[in-house]
Amino acid sequence: MKDLVSVHSEEYGNPPNIIVKAPGVVTLLGEHTESTGGFALPFAMDRTITMAISTRKDSSLRFYALDLGERKRTSLINLKYKKEDRWANYLKGVIHAFLEAGFSGIKGLNVTLSGDIPSGIGLGASTAMATAMAVGLQHLFHFSVTERRLIDFIHYAESTFLEKQSGYVQVVASLLGKANQGIILDTKFLEWRYVPIPVGNMMFLITNSQVPKSVVDEELAQRWEDCGKCLELLQRKKPGATLRDFTPRDIRESMGLIPESIRRRCLHVVEENHRVKEAEEILRRNGNLLGLSKLLNRSHESLRDLFEVSCPEIDWLVKRSLETEGVLGSKLIGPGFGGCIITLLYEHALEEFKRHLDEYERIFGFKAVSFLCTPSEGAQIL
């Protein structure tokens, strides 16, 4: 924190007016359900983006990403998406959202940011940047903004300003996460409630496979299109329904009505929705994570076999982790085609698990990186 303050002061000549941090996000269950208005179970993780912000006397916007050593600049009257501005577009998008909504009084800004969320692997690094900026603007200029509207401003930055396919799961968790709790999120009505995640003597371990991804957006767009086609056919029997209104049995009985590849995609979404609901019941009733571990394993099997977004490297990591004594569950998280797995395990299993990572590097040539994570607080002013 002191380093960020001193860096900001040295960079701009004045100390920050405000320091804000926002966390990355882990989606335990509910991956790929949001495109059809399903359910998800995310939590805010204990890796964050921290942002120092100070006001300027002019309308300039200066952004400095300390970890990248990159500086970007624009002005309040020239808030446009620019490909070359990369990460700064998320910050510009949030500012643009406030201005479009009629919030006046925003001045030029000096911004310095730093963080430890790995980027590009589905852990919400970009969402955390946008969330930190939104919360910073709200408090810096004393704007009266509801939680729901703040969520929309953050979502706007990615979905409208950057014109990217994005949802609300990571936004809600990054903004509103709570320590030792997950969020049951209804993405159709954007309603949420908290559920305990009592880690106890267990822990969550995230492992980055380091597999390079190249076709994620195109492949996911095709799968979401498949789900839409599936729903159109199912609605012949139940007009006006969405995938959340169907049971796995409904999908299985649709053989012959729906092409098999499309039917598999829908079956994942329908079953995943039910897994989120089952997870909520388990966590509220049992007060431990043992029951959750089976759902994690079933979710990975579904992502691998039905939605088909896994890859050999990810499957190897999941399989080897489950062969380790003391590991309870393991699955792919993030969009897929590489990225991360999350593993639920006891502490004594850590050493053996990490030995598997050496074997993984020898076989696949990628040096996987692991770190522990804990359900933590959402965005905060420091």
Side-chain angles (χ1 to χ4, degrees):
M1 178 60 61
K2 290 182 179 179
D3 287 343
L4 190 64
V5 171
S6 61
V7 167
H8 184 92
S9 301
E10 182 178 345
E11 178 75 11
Y12 300 112
N14 292 294
N17 298 108
I18 197 169
I19 303 285
V20 59
K21 72 173 182 178
V25 175
V26 172
T27 303
L28 269 183
L29 293 167
E31 210 74 72
H32 303 298
T33 63
E34 186 168 6
S35 64
T36 56
F39 300 94
L41 171 53
F43 66 75
M45 62 191 296
D46 53 342
R47 289 202 168 207
T48 63
I49 295 291
T50 303
M51 188 175 292
I53 310 173
S54 58
T55 56
R56 298 175 57 90
K57 294 181 180 180
D58 58 20
S59 62
S60 295
L61 299 171
R62 307 288 178 90
F63 307 121
Y64 176 33
L66 176 59
D67 305 317
L68 300 175
E70 291 183 3
R71 295 168 175 83
K72 306 292 181 181
R73 63 171 60 190
T74 185
S75 67
L76 291 172
I77 59 175
N78 191 35
L79 278 174
K80 298 178 181 179
Y81 169 81
K82 292 183 179 179
K83 185 177 180 180
E84 61 269 23
D85 281 350
R86 299 170 50 241
W87 51 270
N89 285 308
Y90 294 94
L91 311 184
K92 293 191 295 181
V94 171
I95 298 169
H96 192 269
F98 273 88
L99 293 174
E100 284 286 290
F103 285 91
S104 59
I106 296 178
K107 301 177 181 178
L109 299 171
N110 294 324
V111 178
T112 306
L113 62 146
S114 178
D116 58 359
I117 308 170
S119 62
I121 53 175
L123 296 178
S126 58
T127 299
M129 279 195 296
T131 301
M133 174 56 75
V135 172
L137 288 177
Q138 178 189 20
H139 286 264
L140 188 60
F141 297 109
H142 308 290
F143 293 141
S144 178
V145 187
T146 64
E147 287 181 346
R148 174 57 197 269
R149 203 171 190 195
L150 202 59
I151 288 168
D152 285 335
F153 289 168
I154 298 164
H155 181 254
Y156 171 96
E158 189 164 15
S159 64
T160 302
F161 193 81
L162 275 81
E163 297 184 348
K164 294 179 64 176
Q165 181 75 33
S166 66
Y168 286 92
V169 173
Q170 291 187 337
V171 176
V172 172
S174 184
L175 181 66
L176 302 174
K178 292 185 178 181
N180 301 315
Q181 297 190 59
I183 297 174
I184 301 295
L185 178 63
D186 180 336
T187 66
K188 180 179 180 180
F189 298 106
L190 201 56
E191 297 173 347
W192 59 87
R193 55 191 177 271
Y194 295 93
V195 63
I197 300 184
V199 177
N201 60 347
M202 306 173 197
M203 54 186 63
F204 288 113
L205 183 73
I206 291 179
T207 303
N208 182 359
S209 69
Q210 303 281 25
V211 174
K213 296 179 290 184
S214 58
V215 295
V216 177
D217 291 343
E218 295 85 350
E219 290 287 347
L220 289 181
Q222 181 60 57
R223 281 154 177 74
W224 294 331
E225 183 180 335
D226 288 346
C227 289
K229 292 177 181 177
C230 178
L231 180 58
E232 289 178 9
L233 295 170
L234 289 170
Q235 285 175 335
R236 295 177 183 178
K237 292 186 176 181
K238 194 182 291 187
T242 61
L243 284 183
R244 60 192 275 156
D245 301 315
F246 293 94
T247 67
R249 181 177 179 179
D250 292 329
I251 307 300
R252 294 190 181 97
E253 290 178 349
S254 67
M255 291 183 67
L257 172 66
I258 301 171
E260 181 57 23
S261 63
I262 293 177
R263 193 179 69 87
R264 288 201 307 271
R265 309 290 191 245
C266 277
L267 185 57
H268 163 73
V269 172
V270 171
E271 290 184 338
E272 191 76 356
N273 282 328
H274 282 262
R275 279 189 283 270
V276 173
K277 295 177 182 178
E278 189 176 348
E280 181 178 15
E281 293 177 4
I282 289 172
L283 292 170
R284 293 195 190 283
R285 183 179 66 245
N286 293 348
N288 64 60
L289 300 182
L290 290 174
L292 181 66
S293 63
K294 295 179 180 179
L295 297 177
L296 299 181
N297 296 334
R298 282 160 44 194
S299 178
H300 179 75
E301 292 168 0
S302 181
L303 289 164
R304 180 191 66 203
D305 301 334
L306 299 178
F307 215 67
E308 297 182 290
V309 291
S310 190
C311 64
E313 295 88 348
I314 289 289
D315 292 337
W316 190 95
L317 287 169
V318 169
K319 184 175 185 295
R320 284 293 182 270
S321 66
L322 293 175
E323 292 172 350
T324 303
E325 182 184 356
V327 168
L328 302 170
S330 192
K331 70 178 289 284
L332 168 69
I333 55 173
F337 305 102
C340 298
I341 68 169
I342 188 165
T343 304
L344 178 63
L345 73 170
Y346 291 108
E347 184 177 2
H348 71 262
L350 268 176
E351 186 175 345
E352 184 180 350
F353 178 90
K354 290 181 178 179
R355 283 199 293 268
H356 289 318
L357 299 188
D358 294 333
E359 184 183 2
Y360 170 81
E361 185 177 6
R362 288 195 300 271
I363 294 173
F364 295 103
F366 303 118
K367 186 174 181 59
V369 177
S370 291
F371 58 90
L372 295 170
C373 75
T374 303
S376 300
E377 295 292 333
Q380 301 176 64
I381 299 295
L382 302 180

PDB file of all heavy atoms in Angstrom, residues 28-40:
ATOM      1  N   LEU A  28     -17.253 -21.145  -8.776  1.00  0.00           N
ATOM      2  CA  LEU A  28     -17.182 -22.551  -8.375  1.00  0.00           C
ATOM      3  C   LEU A  28     -18.077 -23.429  -9.231  1.00  0.00           C
ATOM      4  O   LEU A  28     -17.674 -24.493  -9.692  1.00  0.00           O
ATOM      5  CB  LEU A  28     -17.600 -22.694  -6.905  1.00  0.00           C
ATOM      6  CG  LEU A  28     -16.535 -22.603  -5.830  1.00  0.00           C
ATOM      7  CD1 LEU A  28     -17.155 -22.840  -4.457  1.00  0.00           C
ATOM      8  CD2 LEU A  28     -15.408 -23.593  -6.082  1.00  0.00           C
ATOM      9  N   LEU A  29     -19.310 -22.991  -9.418  1.00  0.00           N
ATOM     10  CA  LEU A  29     -20.280 -23.727 -10.225  1.00  0.00           C
ATOM     11  C   LEU A  29     -21.081 -22.715 -11.034  1.00  0.00           C
ATOM     12  O   LEU A  29     -21.240 -21.562 -10.620  1.00  0.00           O
ATOM     13  CB  LEU A  29     -21.220 -24.549  -9.345  1.00  0.00           C
ATOM     14  CG  LEU A  29     -20.610 -25.719  -8.577  1.00  0.00           C
ATOM     15  CD1 LEU A  29     -21.590 -26.232  -7.519  1.00  0.00           C
ATOM     16  CD2 LEU A  29     -20.207 -26.852  -9.515  1.00  0.00           C
ATOM     17  N   GLY A  30     -21.594 -23.136 -12.165  1.00  0.00           N
ATOM     18  CA  GLY A  30     -22.412 -22.259 -12.984  1.00  0.00           C
ATOM     19  C   GLY A  30     -21.685 -21.674 -14.171  1.00  0.00           C
ATOM     20  O   GLY A  30     -22.169 -20.722 -14.782  1.00  0.00           O
ATOM     21  N   GLU A  31     -20.534 -22.251 -14.521  1.00  0.00           N
ATOM     22  CA  GLU A  31     -19.818 -21.771 -15.696  1.00  0.00           C
ATOM     23  C   GLU A  31     -20.664 -22.023 -16.946  1.00  0.00           C
ATOM     24  O   GLU A  31     -21.184 -23.116 -17.146  1.00  0.00           O
ATOM     25  CB  GLU A  31     -18.481 -22.496 -15.808  1.00  0.00           C
ATOM     26  CG  GLU A  31     -17.386 -21.689 -16.454  1.00  0.00           C
ATOM     27  CD  GLU A  31     -16.831 -20.591 -15.556  1.00  0.00           C
ATOM     28  OE1 GLU A  31     -16.129 -20.895 -14.600  1.00  0.00           O
ATOM     29  OE2 GLU A  31     -17.126 -19.403 -15.848  1.00  0.00           O
ATOM     30  N   HIS A  32     -20.842 -20.993 -17.756  1.00  0.00           N
ATOM     31  CA  HIS A  32     -21.557 -21.056 -19.039  1.00  0.00           C
ATOM     32  C   HIS A  32     -23.069 -21.204 -18.895  1.00  0.00           C
ATOM     33  O   HIS A  32     -23.742 -21.625 -19.835  1.00  0.00           O
ATOM     34  CB  HIS A  32     -21.008 -22.177 -19.917  1.00  0.00           C
ATOM     35  CG  HIS A  32     -19.545 -22.047 -20.189  1.00  0.00           C
ATOM     36  ND1 HIS A  32     -19.006 -20.968 -20.872  1.00  0.00           N
ATOM     37  CD2 HIS A  32     -18.489 -22.840 -19.845  1.00  0.00           C
ATOM     38  CE1 HIS A  32     -17.690 -21.115 -20.941  1.00  0.00           C
ATOM     39  NE2 HIS A  32     -17.356 -22.225 -20.326  1.00  0.00           N
ATOM     40  N   THR A  33     -23.620 -20.851 -17.761  1.00  0.00           N
ATOM     41  CA  THR A  33     -25.082 -20.865 -17.614  1.00  0.00           C
ATOM     42  C   THR A  33     -25.691 -19.484 -17.845  1.00  0.00           C
ATOM     43  O   THR A  33     -26.887 -19.370 -18.110  1.00  0.00           O
ATOM     44  CB  THR A  33     -25.495 -21.332 -16.206  1.00  0.00           C
ATOM     45  OG1 THR A  33     -24.998 -20.395 -15.237  1.00  0.00           O
ATOM     46  CG2 THR A  33     -24.946 -22.718 -15.896  1.00  0.00           C
ATOM     47  N   GLU A  34     -24.878 -18.432 -17.748  1.00  0.00           N
ATOM     48  CA  GLU A  34     -25.436 -17.075 -17.767  1.00  0.00           C
ATOM     49  C   GLU A  34     -26.030 -16.700 -19.110  1.00  0.00           C
ATOM     50  O   GLU A  34     -26.981 -15.913 -19.178  1.00  0.00           O
ATOM     51  CB  GLU A  34     -24.374 -16.048 -17.354  1.00  0.00           C
ATOM     52  CG  GLU A  34     -24.941 -14.651 -17.221  1.00  0.00           C
ATOM     53  CD  GLU A  34     -24.004 -13.675 -16.540  1.00  0.00           C
ATOM     54  OE1 GLU A  34     -22.852 -14.041 -16.255  1.00  0.00           O
ATOM     55  OE2 GLU A  34     -24.438 -12.540 -16.297  1.00  0.00           O
ATOM     56  N   SER A  35     -25.516 -17.245 -20.214  1.00  0.00           N
ATOM     57  CA  SER A  35     -26.030 -16.871 -21.531  1.00  0.00           C
ATOM     58  C   SER A  35     -27.490 -17.269 -21.701  1.00  0.00           C
ATOM     59  O   SER A  35     -28.180 -16.753 -22.580  1.00  0.00           O
ATOM     60  CB  SER A  35     -25.187 -17.526 -22.634  1.00  0.00           C
ATOM     61  OG  SER A  35     -25.291 -18.933 -22.585  1.00  0.00           O
ATOM     62  N   THR A  36     -27.979 -18.176 -20.853  1.00  0.00           N
ATOM     63  CA  THR A  36     -29.385 -18.590 -20.912  1.00  0.00           C
ATOM     64  C   THR A  36     -30.126 -18.230 -19.628  1.00  0.00           C
ATOM     65  O   THR A  36     -31.167 -18.811 -19.319  1.00  0.00           O
ATOM     66  CB  THR A  36     -29.488 -20.107 -21.167  1.00  0.00           C
ATOM     67  OG1 THR A  36     -28.764 -20.812 -20.148  1.00  0.00           O
ATOM     68  CG2 THR A  36     -28.919 -20.480 -22.522  1.00  0.00           C
ATOM     69  N   GLY A  37     -29.590 -17.279 -18.863  1.00  0.00           N
ATOM     70  CA  GLY A  37     -30.284 -16.816 -17.661  1.00  0.00           C
ATOM     71  C   GLY A  37     -30.322 -17.828 -16.548  1.00  0.00           C
ATOM     72  O   GLY A  37     -31.330 -17.948 -15.841  1.00  0.00           O
ATOM     73  N   GLY A  38     -29.224 -18.541 -16.340  1.00  0.00           N
ATOM     74  CA  GLY A  38     -29.178 -19.591 -15.333  1.00  0.00           C
ATOM     75  C   GLY A  38     -28.661 -19.119 -13.989  1.00  0.00           C
ATOM     76  O   GLY A  38     -28.713 -17.932 -13.649  1.00  0.00           O
ATOM     77  N   PHE A  39     -28.147 -20.070 -13.215  1.00  0.00           N
ATOM     78  CA  PHE A  39     -27.666 -19.807 -11.857  1.00  0.00           C
ATOM     79  C   PHE A  39     -26.163 -20.034 -11.784  1.00  0.00           C
ATOM     80  O   PHE A  39     -25.598 -20.841 -12.528  1.00  0.00           O
ATOM     81  CB  PHE A  39     -28.375 -20.733 -10.856  1.00  0.00           C
ATOM     82  CG  PHE A  39     -29.860 -20.569 -10.833  1.00  0.00           C
ATOM     83  CD1 PHE A  39     -30.673 -21.380 -11.615  1.00  0.00           C
ATOM     84  CD2 PHE A  39     -30.456 -19.604 -10.037  1.00  0.00           C
ATOM     85  CE1 PHE A  39     -32.056 -21.238 -11.607  1.00  0.00           C
ATOM     86  CE2 PHE A  39     -31.835 -19.447 -10.013  1.00  0.00           C
ATOM     87  CZ  PHE A  39     -32.630 -20.267 -10.808  1.00  0.00           C
ATOM     88  N   ALA A  40     -25.501 -19.337 -10.861  1.00  0.00           N
ATOM     89  CA  ALA A  40     -24.064 -19.485 -10.687  1.00  0.00           C
ATOM     90  C   ALA A  40     -23.708 -19.346  -9.216  1.00  0.00           C
ATOM     91  O   ALA A  40     -24.445 -18.741  -8.434  1.00  0.00           O
ATOM     92  CB  ALA A  40     -23.302 -18.457 -11.510  1.00  0.00           C
TER      93      ALA A  40
END
